[in-house]
């Protein structure tokens, strides 16, 4: 479906209600954008001054080693100074930082004071285990408050966290542990999902067997089922937190603005996942500014970012930015439809959620169950809505706007990436909307749609999305692979010095950007980012598969689904049983999100003469479309 529906031809405008505009942090987007672009560095310096620093920076932006840009050079800070320490000195000490509900219905709340204390305690535990500034800690957990505490505790002592999404499996986790060389891993016994237990600790045991660099595993008891605990390696979180070293006061490590905060692995064009690296200084400035201005966060709000903390959306907008702003955030552990499809709407009513930020795939999934489920609940507390992860099709947009937002709540469709750290193309509440367009760049951000040579495309012409100026929360490098950082993002428009986003887009006559989709071998399945290479190597790691190619095919619900084409080892024949076996294998090795919807056995794959698989040809065949130029096809 997707591609055809996103049309810049729309003349459908949605204007924000007057009271939304008048009360917004930024009531006039145009004026602020213009002002920011006249002096980008001055603009960001002013934003940085709203935060706390141990020492102020000497230079806002150092371009001397571009594309290795440095922000707030000489500044000393720590993101937890802003997210926690400063709040417990004020009335916010008593404010709720986090409201949490587990899938079985259990509840927990954390004031800023309590979150600060729990973070300090765990930070002391980590220090006690020898974790030092710059060490990498892998975190592999369900959506529980201890995940937030573990991230903050790492940041507090200057350790670099690498959160691996709990939906990934053995090999994906093992690869990420190995690449980061983490000696400490924090996990849970299990996670609740749709009433079942996801056995996270079993996956950890296997991953650590494959990547034995891990010396210590800390296990949060969540599901309470029997798990293997290896003597001398595995420790219960609750045992450690009751030791005398776990005191509730912990000195915050003073960090340089450019010291690493976290690594987050994401899929790229080829090979193994890239460890995107973010730092303390610029990231805190950018995420806090974007959240405050786009979602207009105020003290009385109850903000719900329904993503998983294991993705960048959760890092930036569940954990760091809301805490920096002193906001109250809500987090839910489980599936949106458990036990019934009204779970989300029920929680919005019960907790008085004022802003909901989620993904098109979740909206489409809930829309399927009809209007009666949301209509049974009072959703009048909502004042703003948000979308992220893939283009939102206008049909889902309208449903979200009418049935959930009751035509009162503007939808902030935010385009950004793991690499960008925060929202890049996005409306502010004062910007008129067109369903399916992320509208305009955030103040201080210069984006364009360009052709191969770098000329700006005309209105509604397809081109490549580029970012023309550096921004404070940009990735600093690919962990351990600076060459890949340069070649992946900065080589296509090297002469101009532009960042290549990897998306195709159009700009319409009003300057609104319409993101179409990825131009590389990256798939977006239910908003999750996956490399074709990851799914393929999952398939090929099965002894019966000699070669595999996967493509993304448009799907009503998930945006894209995966089709796989496999050449079997000599002498073997395909069967339905083997299809199931391979799906299971991928589920186990890579994770449930990577499981192909369809697996076909073939004798041959279309390849170029240099041996590169022509996924374009496979895709055309799958969709019954013309196969296009086959001149480079190997005979
Ligand atoms: C890719 C980045 C950033 C948080 C989640 C995704 C696609 C993201 C939108 C949007 C159209 C979008 C792009 C982008 N994407 N948001 N609002 N409209 N496309 O982060 O996993 O790094 O994926 O997601 O293709 O390049 P990510």
């Amino acid at each position: 479906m997707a591609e055809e529906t996103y049309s810049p031809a729309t003349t459908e405008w949605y204007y924000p209600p007057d009271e939304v505009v008048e009360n917004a942090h930024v009531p006039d987007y145009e004026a602020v954008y213009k002002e920011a672009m006249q002096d980008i560095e001055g603009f960001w310096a002013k934003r940085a001054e709203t935060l706390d620093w141990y020492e102020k920076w000497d230079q806002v932006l150092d371009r001397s080693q571009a594309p290795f840009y440095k922000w707030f050079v000489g500044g000393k800070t720590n993101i937890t100074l802003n997210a926690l320490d400063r709040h417990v000195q004020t009335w916010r000490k008593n404010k709720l930082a986090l409201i949490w509900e587990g899938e079985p219905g259990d509840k927990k709340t954390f004031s800023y004071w309590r979150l600060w204390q729990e973070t300090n305690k765990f930070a002391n535990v980590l220090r006690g285990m020898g974790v030092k500034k710059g060490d990498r800690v892998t975190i592999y957990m369900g959506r529980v408050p201890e995940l937030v505490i573990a991230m903050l505790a790492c940041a507090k002592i200057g350790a670099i966290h690498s959160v691996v999404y709990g939906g990934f499996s053995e090999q994906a986790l093992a690869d990420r542990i190995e690449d980061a060389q983490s000696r400490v891993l924090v996990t849970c016994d299990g996670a609740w999902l749709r009433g079942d237990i996801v056995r996270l600790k079993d996956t950890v045991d296997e991953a650590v067997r494959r990547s034995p660099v891990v010396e210590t595993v800390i296990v949060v008891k969540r599901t309470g089922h029997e798990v293997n605990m290896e003597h001398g390696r595995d420790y219960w979180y609750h045992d450690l937190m009751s030791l005398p070293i776990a005191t509730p006061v912990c000195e915050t490590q003073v960090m340089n603005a450019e010291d690493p905060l976290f690594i987050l692995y994401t899929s790229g064009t080829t090979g193994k996942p890239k460890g995107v690296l973010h730092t303390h200084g610029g990231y805190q400035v950018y995420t806090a500014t974007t959240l405050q201005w786009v979602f207009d966060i105020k003290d009385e709000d109850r903000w719900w970012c329904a993503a998983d903390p294991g993705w960048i959306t959760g890092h930036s907008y569940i954990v760091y930015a809301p805490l920096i702003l002193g906001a109250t955030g809500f987090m839910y552990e489980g599936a949106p439809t458990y036990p019934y499809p009204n779970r989300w709407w029920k929680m919005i009513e019960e907790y008085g959620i004022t802003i909901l930020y989620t993904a098109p795939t979740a909206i489409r999934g809930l829309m399927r169950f009809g209007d009666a489920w949301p209509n049974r609940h009072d959703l009048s507390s909502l004042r703003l809505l948000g979308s992220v992860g893939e283009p939102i099709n206008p049909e889902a947009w309208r449903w979200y706007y009418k049935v959930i937002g009751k035509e009162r709540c503007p939808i902030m469709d935010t385009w950004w990436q793991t690499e960008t750290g925060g929202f890049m193309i996005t409306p502010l509440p004062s910007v008129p909307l067109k369903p399916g367009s992320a509208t305009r760049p955030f103040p201080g951000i210069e984006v364009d749609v360009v052709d191969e040579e770098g000329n700006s495309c005309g209105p509604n012409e397809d081109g490549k999305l580029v970012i023309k100026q550096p921004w404070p929360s940009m990735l600093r490098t690919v962990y351990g692979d600076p060459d890949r950082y340069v070649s992946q993002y900065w080589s296509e428009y090297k002469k101009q010095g532009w960042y290549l986003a990897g998306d195709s887009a159009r700009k319409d006559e009003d300057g609104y950007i319409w993101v179409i989709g990825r131009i590389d071998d990256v798939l977006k399945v239910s908003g999750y980012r996956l490399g074709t290479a990851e799914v393929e190597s999952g398939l090929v790691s099965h002894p019966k598969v000699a070669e595999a190619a996967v493509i993304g095919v448009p799907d009503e619900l998930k945006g894209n689904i995966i089709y796989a084409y496999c050449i079997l080892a000599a002498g073997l024949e395909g069967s339905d049983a083997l299809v199931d076996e391979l799906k299971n294998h991928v589920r186990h090795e890579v994770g449930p999100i990577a499981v192909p919807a369809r697996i076909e056995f073939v004798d041959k794959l279309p390849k170029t003469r240099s041996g590169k698989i022509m996924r374009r040809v496979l895709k055309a065949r799958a969709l019954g479309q013309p196969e296009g130029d086959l001149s480079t096809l190997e005979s």
Side-chain angles (χ1 to χ4, degrees), residues 267-562:
S267 302
T269 308
T270 50
K272 53 173 195 162
K274 300 177 283 199
V276 166
L277 187 90
H278 285 287
T279 57
H280 278 255
Y283 178 81
Q284 64 180 1
V285 173
Y286 195 83
T287 55
T289 303
T290 48
L291 182 63
Q292 186 179 51
W293 288 9
V294 174
F295 284 104
D296 196 35
I297 300 286
K298 308 227 166 74
D299 264 323
E300 48 288 13
D301 275 313
R302 289 190 159 195
W303 156 251
W304 183 11
C305 168
D308 192 285
W311 303 102
I312 190 69
T313 314
H315 279 56
S316 300
Y317 298 113
I318 295 176
V319 182
Y320 290 113
L323 294 177
I324 294 170
L325 297 177
T328 297
F330 173 71
M331 186 162 111
Y332 164 61
E333 177 183 36
T337 51
Y338 187 84
Y340 301 108
N342 67 332
R343 181 68 185 260
W344 273 23
W345 320 128
K346 189 167 165 253
M347 292 188 301
I348 289 176
E349 177 173 15
E350 181 175 341
Y351 294 103
I353 302 297
T354 56
I355 311 166
L356 172 67
Y357 182 42
T358 184
T361 186
I363 298 163
R364 291 191 297 263
L366 289 164
M367 183 169 110
R368 247 182 349 155
F369 295 100
D371 303 2
W373 292 103
N375 285 347
R376 273 174 38 200
H377 296 276
D378 176 6
L379 304 180
S380 61
S381 57
L382 288 172
R383 65 181 191 94
L384 282 174
L385 299 172
S387 174
V388 61
E390 57 179 324
I392 180 165
N393 48 311
E395 195 197 345
W397 196 100
R398 284 185 213 107
W399 185 82
Y400 196 29
Y401 187 73
K402 287 206 178 97
V403 180
I404 306 307
K406 313 292 181 206
E407 305 186 3
R408 289 182 300 106
C409 308
I411 299 176
M412 303 297 108
D413 177 355
T414 59
W415 177 90
W416 57 299
Q417 309 177 299
T418 306
E419 293 87 340
T420 69
F423 313 146
M424 300 298 283
I425 304 174
T426 173
L428 302 190
S430 57
V431 172
L433 306 173
K434 300 188 190 191
S437 168
T439 75
R440 313 272 300 275
F442 192 80
I445 300 300
E446 190 182 353
V447 301
D448 201 2
V449 176
V450 300
D451 66 16
E452 303 288 332
E453 280 78 49
N455 307 307
S456 293
C457 292
N460 301 322
E461 254 173 52
D462 278 26
K464 293 181 182 177
L465 190 61
V466 294
I467 304 170
K468 293 187 168 178
Q469 290 291 336
W471 64 102
S473 66
M474 60 197 302
L475 80 163
R476 296 303 194 265
T477 189
V478 172
Y479 185 71
D481 198 351
D483 293 346
R484 194 161 174 206
Y485 168 71
V486 176
S487 64
Q488 185 86 42
Y489 304 104
W490 303 96
S491 63
E492 184 114 350
Y493 297 103
K494 185 165 184 244
K495 210 173 63 219
Q496 298 92 336
W498 298 338
Y499 169 90
L500 180 78
D503 281 343
S504 62
R506 295 175 201 139
K507 202 195 278 183
D508 69 16
E509 40 291 280
D510 301 309
Y512 277 46
I513 311 269
W514 299 74
V515 174
I516 302 166
R518 301 289 311 187
I519 43 177
D520 48 15
D521 292 325
V522 169
L523 306 174
K524 277 273 165 171
V525 179
S526 298
Y528 296 121
R529 178 164 160 184
L530 273 174
T532 50
E534 281 163 280
V535 187
E536 286 161 3
S537 55
L539 284 163
V540 175
S541 72
H542 190 285
K544 292 183 183 159
V545 179
E547 227 182 312
V550 313
I551 56 167
V553 175
D555 177 76
E556 285 282 343
L557 195 62
K558 298 186 168 178
N560 288 287
I561 48 175
I562 302 171

Side-chain angles (χ1 to χ4, degrees), residues 83-84 88 93 97-98 109-121 145 148-149 152 319 323:
L84 294 171
V88 297
K93 164 182 182 179
L98 182 65
T109 53
F110 294 81
S111 61
Y112 272 90
W113 176 256
R114 180 161 171 221
L115 189 62
W116 177 73
Q117 281 201 332
E118 295 292 314
T119 299
N120 289 342
K121 286 173 70 175
V148 177
I149 292 164
L152 293 166
V319 182
L323 294 177

